[in-house]
Amino acid sequence: SMKVAIIFASQTGNTLQVALAVREGCSGHEIVAFGPPPADVGEAELVFAGSWTDRGTCAPEMRAFLHTLHGKNVVLFGTAGFGLSESYFASLGDRFKAELPADSRVVDAWFCPGKMPPAVRERYEAQLAEHPGDKRLENMLAAYDHAKTHPDPGDLEGARSFTRAILKREEER
């Protein structure tokens, strides 16, 4: 069994839900830390680091935490309000990875959509009223509506099975 840390930044509860699913996926392993940054992950052989998406990258407190993970094996996870494509999630993974020290190892990354607060939709609607037919705003409204049921049970099962697969793979290394 492995020593695992699960550290996450969650603003509205989406990333917390995923972190709890990751914790379930770690069943049978020793969890040495679970909670928000900053955190001491000294003994962890594997660090799961998760965040909500803030302007296309991880939250500031998660960025600061990632900078401390020298020599660690890191699994990134997160939620995004605009998760409309695999390529967007891949670019998020790259931005999260860019915050890690060069001597750390990125094991893998996993993202799912996460619902946004209603105030966000109201803001887009108000902007669209001022700029009727604005394609960018129409796309943002569509993204909001797509994300509003997420993370859903399928996402959480995905996070659990992703976690189990990673642990199995890492134990065999």
Side-chain angles (χ1 to χ4, degrees), residues 27-160:
S27 172
H29 296 271
E30 186 189 342
I31 295 169
V32 296
F34 180 88
D40 176 13
V41 296
E43 289 193 353
E45 298 162 85
L46 195 58
V47 178
F48 286 85
S51 181
W52 57 285
T53 301
D54 182 21
R55 297 183 196 87
T57 188
C58 49
E61 67 271 29
M62 183 50 67
R63 270 205 305 277
F65 172 69
L66 291 177
H67 293 168
T68 70
L69 296 179
H70 289 279
K72 288 293 187 188
N73 296 309
V74 184
V75 181
L76 300 165
F77 69 92
T79 59
F82 295 100
L84 294 183
S85 69
E86 285 306 313
S87 65
Y88 179 70
F89 285 149
S91 74
L92 276 182
D94 291 341
R95 288 194 204 121
F96 281 33
K97 282 172 197 165
E99 303 295 339
L100 285 161
D103 63 351
S104 67
R105 172 178 158 256
V106 180
V107 176
D108 212 333
W110 187 91
F111 291 88
C112 75
K115 60 190 159 301
M116 293 174 275
V120 171
R121 193 179 208 288
E122 289 157 21
R123 196 167 67 236
Y124 297 156
E125 285 170 340
Q127 290 170 346
L128 194 58
E130 289 171 31
H131 309 278
D134 182 313
K135 274 279 163 253
R136 191 181 68 92
L137 288 169
E138 286 173 358
N139 288 342
M140 287 164 89
L141 275 170
Y144 177 96
D145 291 340
H146 169 77
K148 73 179 181 217
T149 56
H150 294 271
D152 65 16
D155 297 327
L156 299 177
E157 183 45 49
R160 280 189 291 270

